[in-house]
Amino acid sequence: MNDSYGRNIHYLRISLTDRCNLRCVYCMPADMRFMPTAHLLQNDELVRLVRIAASVGFDRIRLTGGEPTIHPNLLEIVGGIAQISGIKEIAMTTNAVRLEKLAEPLARAGLKRVNISIDTLDAERFRKITRLGKIEQVWRGIVAAERAGLAPIKLNSVVVRGYNEDDIADLARLTLDHAWDMRFIEVMPLGSVADFQIASVVPVAEMRARIENVFGALEPLEWNGHDPARSYRLRGGRGTIGFISSVTAPFCEGCERMRLSSDGRLRLCLLRDDEVDLLTPLRAGASDEELRALIARGAQNKPWGHGLAQNEIAGSRVMSQIGG
Ligand code: SAM
Ligand code: SF4
């Protein structure tokens, strides 16, 4: 399914819940209020929407949140999506706090890969950046994910000025011994925490320089034209190092994704507020055909890209309500 700019839209990122067991400073305010359960898609509603999305060409699914692993019906949802014809891959982005127990059953249910967020290796800085996290739980989650075959493991690190820019080289070092894809992400501004986020951006050029100052020049790897990360390797490294420069060098021309929020809105661009309400028509008895038309029209109306360079900040949601 092509949008009006000729991009092939086939990747759906689904926020299963806006709730989370952490409170990362770059993602949500400390006093975050969550949506009432009645406003959220139920299992059967969600699986139905994915089936309809698959029928218009979506073949890759990523489950995110909030924190997807705190959803009470996660395994049933993964199993339900895995059975939909046309879905080639189900992946998940998680903080890994609950992955030690869940990795194996998730793999059995049909999950293929995980991206795990880890912004520092230091226990005290991890607690500060997540407001309440314990780094040991994340490590146990990473080990469990590897053991369950949820590979290749990608690690996401949002670099936040004053919190973890000194940790970049230590995180990059992990790729010497592990076949992991370590990705460093610029903080994106959204909603009520935008002022803090704008003040916290560490540009990719600085991230790269911090790594090269320690390890020497990075070796560039080929780019596939739509991965948001530009990837490199440390000399002799087993894994890769990627940089996601949404703020300083946007990559909207390669964007093939749309998002479904836990309250049933199709969000056309991460950093713009344009959304299509699917929940209301779904609960009002819309047919599959009517919902299919709404999804297809949403894809056709996908905006070209965000307007961060023009200081246009999407205000309606914070990141945990969209899923990254
Ligand atoms: N809770 C899960 C996690 O943290 O991996 C999934 C949801 S989280 C919103 C998805 C991704 O978005 C994470 O990798 C997180 O680090 C990233 N993220 C959150 N806020 C961000 C921001 N303001 N800018 C860039 N990335 C952000
Ligand atoms: Fe939760 Fe993920 Fe947001 Fe951190 S980044 S608060 S783990 S949703």
Side-chain angles (χ1 to χ4, degrees):
M1 188 182 33
N2 284 352
D3 73 358
S4 59
Y5 301 98
R7 295 172 296 190
N8 175 22
I9 312 300
H10 68 110
Y11 177 17
L12 188 64
R13 298 171 67 106
I14 303 172
S15 174
L16 290 184
T17 171
D18 64 325
R19 287 161 202 263
C20 189
N21 43 6
L22 300 181
R23 298 282 185 280
C24 301
V25 291
Y26 52 78
C27 180
M28 59 166 79
D31 58 351
M32 184 71 195
R33 302 265 291 273
F34 300 108
M35 288 187 268
T37 311
H39 293 196
L40 307 184
L41 286 169
Q42 305 298 302
N43 289 6
D44 53 339
E45 294 173 329
L46 176 66
V47 174
R48 179 176 172 213
L49 286 180
V50 178
R51 187 168 45 72
I52 297 170
S55 75
V56 297
F58 285 91
D59 60 3
R60 274 183 72 194
I61 301 291
R62 174 169 297 277
L63 303 176
T64 170
E67 176 48 40
T69 60
I70 65 171
H71 193 290
N73 305 118
L74 177 64
L75 294 175
E76 291 86 329
I77 291 172
V78 171
I81 296 175
Q83 282 169 19
I84 295 173
S85 116
I87 299 297
K88 294 187 185 142
E89 182 187 81
I90 312 172
M92 190 171 79
T93 301
T94 172
N95 62 28
V97 166
R98 302 199 65 228
L99 211 51
E100 183 180 21
K101 286 203 177 82
L102 280 172
E104 192 63 51
L106 278 168
R108 275 202 304 276
L111 190 76
K112 293 288 179 247
R113 297 193 294 113
V114 282
N115 286 19
I116 294 174
S117 300
I118 181 163
D119 304 318
T120 170
L121 302 179
D122 178 85
E124 181 48 33
R125 280 200 288 276
F126 185 77
R127 197 203 51 75
K128 195 170 158 215
I129 207 164
T130 60
R131 294 195 179 105
L132 38 87
K134 294 195 176 78
I135 189 81
E136 319 82 72
Q137 294 178 316
V138 180
W139 275 115
R140 291 201 293 269
I142 294 173
V143 170
E146 263 205 319
R147 198 175 301 137
L150 297 173
I153 304 243
K154 290 191 180 176
L155 302 180
N156 289 346
S157 186
V158 178
V159 184
V160 189
R161 180 75 69 205
Y163 283 82
N164 65 339
E165 71 265 53
D166 292 336
D167 298 75
I168 298 175
D170 285 343
L171 288 160
R173 185 176 285 111
L174 293 174
T175 66
L176 285 174
D177 294 334
H178 301 279
W180 296 338
D181 298 331
M182 180 75 235
R183 292 137 42 105
F184 296 100
I185 305 171
E186 288 175 345
V187 190
M188 290 174 256
L190 271 172
S192 59
V193 269
D195 288 346
F196 168 79
Q197 291 160 326
I198 290 166
S200 309
V201 174
V202 175
V204 154
E206 178 183 332
M207 301 179 194
R208 186 173 167 177
R210 283 175 175 269
I211 295 173
E212 294 192 319
N213 284 345
V214 176
F215 298 101
L218 288 166
E219 297 171 2
L221 300 173
E222 210 173 307
W223 183 52
N224 65 11
H226 45 80
D227 186 346
R230 297 299 174 100
S231 293
Y232 301 79
R233 201 183 286 283
L234 292 181
R235 194 168 313 122
R238 292 184 62 208
T240 68
I241 293 174
F243 298 101
I244 301 186
S245 57
S246 328
V247 179
T248 61
F251 35 81
C252 307
E253 72 280 3
C255 184
E256 300 180 319
R257 53 189 69 184
M258 294 207 305
R259 295 167 168 83
L260 179 63
S261 64
S262 53
D263 57 342
R265 267 63 176 179
L266 194 63
R267 189 165 173 109
L268 311 184
C269 166
L270 171 63
L271 296 171
R272 286 197 184 273
D273 284 331
D274 312 52
E275 295 182 351
V276 177
D277 178 4
L278 299 178
L279 184 76
T280 307
L282 184 146
R283 291 197 175 161
S287 66
D288 283 6
E289 202 42 61
E290 287 163 334
L291 291 167
R292 188 176 297 127
L294 283 173
I295 295 173
R297 201 170 324 129
Q300 260 140 33
N301 290 335
K302 183 174 162 64
W304 164 251
H306 63 68
L308 294 186
Q310 294 75 42
N311 291 324
E312 293 167 16
I313 309 293
S316 69
R317 294 175 189 265
V318 292
M319 193 64 97
S320 58
Q321 297 169 314
I322 308 171

